[in-house]
Amino acid sequence: MPTIEDAQGALERHFGFSRFREGQADVIQAVLDGQDVIVVMPTGGGKSLCYQFPALALEGITVVSLEQAIAAPFCTRQLADLGARVIKIERPEGDFARGYDTLAHGECSYFVWLNRGKESVVLDLTKSEDKA
């Protein structure tokens, strides 16, 4: 689980700030501790940064997923949204959900929505070179 020190490093790497504003570290620590948090800060007080930090919680984690259709892609999309690197393994003919429609610039709207933020790799597990 990330620590407040990890959050401090992410603050510098992603946002270019050397320290948190008043109240931000407390909010982020509570989120890291798994607490439900309500943040009330004035405009310009730094609350949007507090909302953005959970998206960095899984930074450095890689998930490799053999998935298709809706349920598993939805779950791994959530992980990708939280900062994990998600690698979707597809069979040579691709995930059948790619063919549900062509509404997203010629691609399936469900597929695009469910698989945003992921990398996709095609493997044919009947071939020895794809098993290595």
Side-chain angles (χ1 to χ4, degrees), residues 20-73:
F20 290 109
R21 290 185 179 176
E22 182 179 347
Q24 287 178 324
D26 294 332
V27 169
I28 292 164
Q29 184 64 60
V31 170
L32 292 173
D33 291 342
Q35 298 176 23
D36 294 330
V37 180
I38 295 175
V39 179
V40 178
M41 291 180 172
T43 299
K47 63 188 166 292
S48 66
L49 188 134
C50 295
Y51 299 144
Q52 294 171 43
F53 255 92
L56 302 173
L58 296 180
E59 183 178 352
I61 302 294
T62 299
V63 176
V64 178
S65 181
L66 299 163
E67 60 183 36
Q68 61 183 10
I70 305 290

Side-chain angles (χ1 to χ4, degrees), residues 6-25:
D6 296 327
Q8 177 69 39
L11 177 71
E12 293 172 12
R13 273 191 318 282
H14 294 283
F15 300 99
F17 298 119
S18 59
R19 61 185 175 80
F20 290 109
R21 290 185 179 176
E22 182 179 347
Q24 287 178 324

